């Protein structure tokens, strides 16, 4: 390989399958002129991405390594892709074999799509409920649980020769700043960082971790230089990760177009610093031409040795061989085939069933008495609102205002609905009416998965609902981020709570299976909330 070809292997750029000819031609130009090592696909659709993957691979002399953020499956990025549960949901599951099975299935779907890494698992220990960027993407606040599930996910990917990537080193879980927008700072002691943040990384390394993503985090106790993110700090990457933790795998930067980097470094400058610090792959450079030139100039001046470059390129090529890129095959996959993956759908239901968590007293509703179902819909701009439980699930048949559940012929439940655009007075009227029922089932849909604006839960629900309803007669269905419970006054007074961690048809079906005593909720909280702690 020529020197320029070697340098090109260090760069992977963002690619989209839902953009036009101009974007496609831009990627083709980068492949031809700079010999890119790979691409990271973002938004689009399955068939469009496959078409572009074939084209880009044909134009590249060295096979391109294709990544995509698919932490919960390719549905994380592709409009017609299937999505598995978020990692917080998975954190509630007690059987880690299921996490392995999910990793294996995601690997199979990635491989079919021409993708060699889903850039997973996330092994940040999320111990900050206000974390705006990790939060629900983490397995939780318990470092052992995070490590166990991270290992299971990792080994599931490895079983199909799909590259595992633990992120975000050295741990992005205890931040209240989004590194997409600014450079977060962790002001913990060396002892605390080793005890909590590094713990999952250590365990995964011991189990054969293949690659790590370095994060844009400033950690003064390890490197106190101004505006010094881990990504470009040799003190952290070389001294701690490579030498102390003895990690010998591939090091991949977090996206270099994030403002945690761009607010402090010129285009090209950060790319060079990342390589000098010990990274092997630069992801999403703001300016590939500038980055390549900086690296070439540093080689000419002797600042960057050829041996360091060759070491990085050798690791990259070895990784490409391990995932099978030396034997590129025609991609015989499509959106239609993806949607027919019955095995994936069965696994998805099993994951949600096992994650369902009971808080308070065990679920017990006497359906021989007068029961009401109140469906609350938040019309969030950031979260899609799902169908209500009574309408969506196949097990339920609607008859005017009443519903019947199969196998429970005598069941009669009066349904009330309130959506955010309705008046507060209408909700108050419903609350008054509900007082006369023997049992009240309340479900809340549309909770923002991220901790912004009180998770988008309206003030009338947060501040009044459970203080005005008879708490001893309520079963509450929390279909969203469990941290959102702390936004709702009086939730600790509720008789029984079922938590699904997110809203989906699978989660709703799990709830109905619990009501019909087809499953017993055995999930355990992966994070602590005000009135309940992790087990």
């Amino acid at each position: 390989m020529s020197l320029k070809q070697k340098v090109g292997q260090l760069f992977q750029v963002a690619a989209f399958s839902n953009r036009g000819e101009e974007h496609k031609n831009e990627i083709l130009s980068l492949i031809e002129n700079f010999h890119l090592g790979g691409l990271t696909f973002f938004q689009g659709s399955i068939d469009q991405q496959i078409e572009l993957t074939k084209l880009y691979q044909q134009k590249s002399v060295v096979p391109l390594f294709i990544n995509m953020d698919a932490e919960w499956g390719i549905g994380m990025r592709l409009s017609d892709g299937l999505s598995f549960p978020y990692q917080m949901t998975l954190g509630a599951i007690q059987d880690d074999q299921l996490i392995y099975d999910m990793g294996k299935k995601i690997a199979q779907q990635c491989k079919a799509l021409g993708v060699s890494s889903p850039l997973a698992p996330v092994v940040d220990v999320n111990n900050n409920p206000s974390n705006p960027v990790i939060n629900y993407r983490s397995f939780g606040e318990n470092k052992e649980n995070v490590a166990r599930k991270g290992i299971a996910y990792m080994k599931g990917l490895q079983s199909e020769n799909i590259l595992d990537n633990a992120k975000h080193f050295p741990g992005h879980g205890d931040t209240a700043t989004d590194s997409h927008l600014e450079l977060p700072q962790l002001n913990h002691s060396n002892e605390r960082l080793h005890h909590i943040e590094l713990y999952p990384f250590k365990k995964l390394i011991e189990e054969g971790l293949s690659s790590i993503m370095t994060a844009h985090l400033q950690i003064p106790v390890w490197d106190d230089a101004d505006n010094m993110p881990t990504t470009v700090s040799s003190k952290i990457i070389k001294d701690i990760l490579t030498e102390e933790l003895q990690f010998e795998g591939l090091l991949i930067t977090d996206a270099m177009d994030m403002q945690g980097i761009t607010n402090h470094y010129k285009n090209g400058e950060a790319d060079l610093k990342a390589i000098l610090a010990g990274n092997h792959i630069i992801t999403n450079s703001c300016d590939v031409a500038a980055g390549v030139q900086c690296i070439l100039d540093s080689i000419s001046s002797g600042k960057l040795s050829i041996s360091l470059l060759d070491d990085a390129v050798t690791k990259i090529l070895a990784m490409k061989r391990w995932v099978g890129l030396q034997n590129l095959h025609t991609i015989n996959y499509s959106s239609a085939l993806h949607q027919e993956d019955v095995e994936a759908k069965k696994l998805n239901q099993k994951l949600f069933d096992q994650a369902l968590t009971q808080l308070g007293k065990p679920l017990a509703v006497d359906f021989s008495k007068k029961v009401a179902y109140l469906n609350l819909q938040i019309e969030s701009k950031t979260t899609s609102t799902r169908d209500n439980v009574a309408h969506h699930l196949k097990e339920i048949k609607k008859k005017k205002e009443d519903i019947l559940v199969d196998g429970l012929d005598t069941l009669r439940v009066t349904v009330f609905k309130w959506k955010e655009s309705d008046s507060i007075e209408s909700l108050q009227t419903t609350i008054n009416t509900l007082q006369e029922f023997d049992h009240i089932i309340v479900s809340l849909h549309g909770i923002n998965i991220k901790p912004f604006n009180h998770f988008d839960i309206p003030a009338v629900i947060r501040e009044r609902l459970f203080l005005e309803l008879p708490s001893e007669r309520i079963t509450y269905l929390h279909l969203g981020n469990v941290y959102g419970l702390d936004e709702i006054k009086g939730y600790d007074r509720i008789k029984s709570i079922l938590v699904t961690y997110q809203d989906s048809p699978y989660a709703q079906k799990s709830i109905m299976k619990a009501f019909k005593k087809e499953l017993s909720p055995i999930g355990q909280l992966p994070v602590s909330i005000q009135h309940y702690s992790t087990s």
Side-chain angles (χ1 to χ4, degrees):
M1 298 175 73
S2 70
L3 180 59
K4 193 172 181 180
Q5 286 175 321
K6 290 180 181 179
V7 173
Q9 287 298 300
L10 307 177
F11 287 83
Q12 296 183 354
V13 302
F16 297 78
S17 61
N18 61 352
R19 297 187 180 178
E21 287 293 310
E22 183 178 352
H23 175 70
K24 181 178 74 173
N25 291 333
E26 178 185 356
I27 299 297
L28 288 171
S29 176
L30 289 170
I31 292 171
E32 180 180 357
N33 295 323
F34 296 102
H35 314 286
L36 292 180
L39 305 172
T40 302
F41 269 105
F42 287 86
Q43 286 82 12
S45 67
I46 292 172
D47 293 339
Q48 289 173 324
Q49 182 167 313
I50 288 173
E51 181 181 350
L52 288 176
T53 297
K54 290 178 179 178
L55 174 64
Y56 296 150
Q57 291 287 21
Q58 289 170 0
K59 297 297 182 181
S60 183
V61 176
V62 178
L64 295 163
F65 190 87
I66 308 294
N67 301 295
M68 64 185 299
D69 281 308
E71 296 161 16
W72 53 86
I74 65 174
M76 179 174 173
R77 292 299 185 192
L78 302 183
S79 59
D80 50 350
L82 297 176
S83 291
F84 290 95
Y86 299 137
Q87 285 192 196
M88 179 183 282
T89 310
L90 300 175
I93 295 173
Q94 302 305 294
D95 182 2
D96 292 336
Q97 177 64 40
L98 291 174
I99 314 302
Y100 173 93
D101 294 341
M102 186 199 73
K104 187 177 183 68
K105 175 53 68 175
I106 289 175
Q108 292 169 349
Q109 293 182 343
C110 283
K111 184 179 291 187
L113 192 62
V115 171
S116 293
S117 177
L119 296 175
V122 172
V123 293
D124 303 303
V125 180
N126 198 88
N127 38 27
N128 186 335
S130 299
N131 192 316
V133 64
I134 303 302
N135 205 290
Y136 66 97
R137 296 167 63 197
S138 166
F139 289 119
E141 70 179 35
N142 182 290
K143 65 179 184 179
E144 287 91 357
N145 192 40
V146 170
R148 287 195 305 270
K149 287 176 168 54
I151 290 168
Y153 195 162
M154 173 189 81
K155 289 186 178 294
L157 295 174
Q158 291 176 346
S159 72
E160 295 289 330
N161 281 66
I162 288 295
L163 187 75
D164 48 298
N165 179 247
K167 58 189 189 186
H168 305 78
F169 180 86
H172 209 317
D174 194 10
T175 65
T177 301
D178 186 345
S179 52
H180 292 86
L181 306 176
E182 190 41 272
L183 180 60
Q185 188 169 111
L186 282 181
N187 293 309
H188 297 309
S189 68
N190 177 61
E191 291 74 21
R192 150 63 194 257
L193 291 166
H194 275 77
H195 182 63
I196 301 293
E197 276 72 17
L198 290 185
Y199 181 86
F201 291 98
K202 292 177 185 177
K203 292 300 180 182
L204 268 69
I205 289 170
E206 291 171 2
E207 293 291 331
L209 178 65
S210 303
S211 74
I212 284 176
M213 179 176 288
T214 55
H216 309 320
L217 297 171
Q218 185 167 20
I219 305 178
V221 72
W222 287 341
D223 193 334
D224 60 0
D226 291 340
N227 300 318
M228 180 60 70
T230 296
T231 324
V232 298
S233 170
S234 62
K235 289 183 179 180
I236 298 177
I237 294 178
K238 288 183 178 178
D239 295 353
I240 294 177
L241 180 54
T242 305
E243 294 182 14
E244 182 181 336
L245 300 186
Q246 298 185 326
F247 179 67
E248 298 178 350
L250 200 68
L251 291 177
I252 303 171
T253 73
D254 206 343
M256 299 298 279
D257 57 0
M258 293 163 62
Q259 292 177 49
I261 289 287
T262 60
N263 286 352
H264 307 288
Y265 295 91
K266 296 178 182 178
N267 288 351
E269 177 188 10
D271 298 340
L272 170 61
K273 286 182 176 294
I275 296 300
L276 289 171
N279 291 282
H280 306 116
I281 291 177
I282 299 161
T283 305
N284 297 10
S285 169
C286 286
D287 189 334
V288 173
V292 167
Q293 193 58 54
C294 279
I295 291 173
L296 289 174
D297 290 346
S298 71
I299 293 172
S300 297
S301 68
K303 186 176 182 179
L304 175 61
S305 68
I306 288 292
S307 63
L308 184 62
L309 174 65
D310 285 347
D311 177 64
V313 174
T314 299
K315 284 183 179 290
I316 293 167
L317 296 179
M319 174 265 292
K320 288 186 175 185
R321 175 172 288 276
W322 184 77
V323 299
L325 290 181
Q326 74 278 14
N327 299 313
L328 276 178
H329 301 289
T330 301
I331 302 175
N332 296 311
Y333 198 55
S334 66
S335 178
L337 288 172
H338 182 71
Q339 298 301 326
E340 293 172 0
D341 194 337
V342 175
E343 185 180 76
K345 294 175 181 178
K346 288 182 178 178
L347 175 59
N348 223 343
Q349 187 62 61
K350 187 177 292 186
L351 291 165
F352 276 100
D353 285 353
Q354 294 296 306
L356 187 63
T357 301
Q358 178 80 58
L359 302 180
K361 295 181 179 179
L363 180 66
V365 180
D366 186 351
F367 286 109
S368 67
K369 295 185 177 180
K370 196 174 182 182
V371 178
Y373 169 56
L374 173 59
N375 173 268
L376 301 168
Q377 296 277 342
I378 304 170
E379 295 164 328
S380 169
K381 294 179 181 178
T382 54
T383 311
S384 59
T385 301
R386 306 288 183 176
D387 291 337
N388 65 74
V389 174
H391 173 75
H392 179 80
L393 300 177
K394 294 179 180 179
E395 288 87 350
I396 293 184
K397 302 175 182 178
K398 293 184 66 178
K399 288 188 176 181
K400 297 181 181 179
E401 292 184 344
D402 296 328
I403 57 174
L404 298 176
V405 176
D406 295 341
L408 297 172
D409 296 335
T410 61
L411 172 62
R412 296 182 66 80
V413 180
T414 303
V415 179
F416 299 88
K417 300 179 183 180
W418 184 82
K419 58 181 182 294
E420 195 174 358
S421 59
D422 294 338
S423 68
I424 294 176
E425 289 74 19
S426 67
L427 180 58
Q428 186 62 58
T429 299
T430 298
I431 291 173
N432 295 339
T433 304
L434 290 172
Q435 305 294 332
E436 60 189 56
F437 284 82
D438 298 308
H439 201 97
I440 307 160
I441 302 168
V442 181
S443 68
L444 182 57
H445 305 255
I447 302 168
N448 191 344
I449 197 64
K450 296 183 178 182
F452 303 135
N453 187 33
H454 304 285
F455 294 90
D456 285 340
I457 302 172
V460 65
I461 294 176
R462 287 187 283 113
E463 298 173 6
R464 291 171 52 186
L465 181 66
F466 292 137
L467 295 180
E468 297 187 20
L469 285 174
S471 58
E472 74 283 356
R473 288 182 265 155
I474 295 175
T475 294
Y476 172 52
L477 315 179
H478 189 79
L479 292 102
N481 192 318
V482 71
Y483 284 131
L485 271 173
D486 279 338
E487 300 288 341
I488 305 173
K489 293 181 180 180
Y491 82 85
D492 58 307
R493 300 167 62 243
I494 297 171
K495 176 181 178 181
S496 182
I497 301 173
L498 286 180
V499 179
T500 66
Y501 304 95
Q502 63 189 95
D503 199 352
S504 81
Y506 298 105
Q508 294 178 8
K509 188 169 184 178
S510 296
I511 286 172
M512 296 314 299
K513 289 168 75 173
F515 273 120
K516 297 172 69 175
K517 302 187 184 305
E518 294 173 357
L519 78 84
S520 177
I522 59 172
Q524 298 291 325
L525 281 179
V527 297
S528 296
I529 51 178
Q530 186 176 351
H531 299 286
Y532 297 93
S533 298
T534 56
S535 297

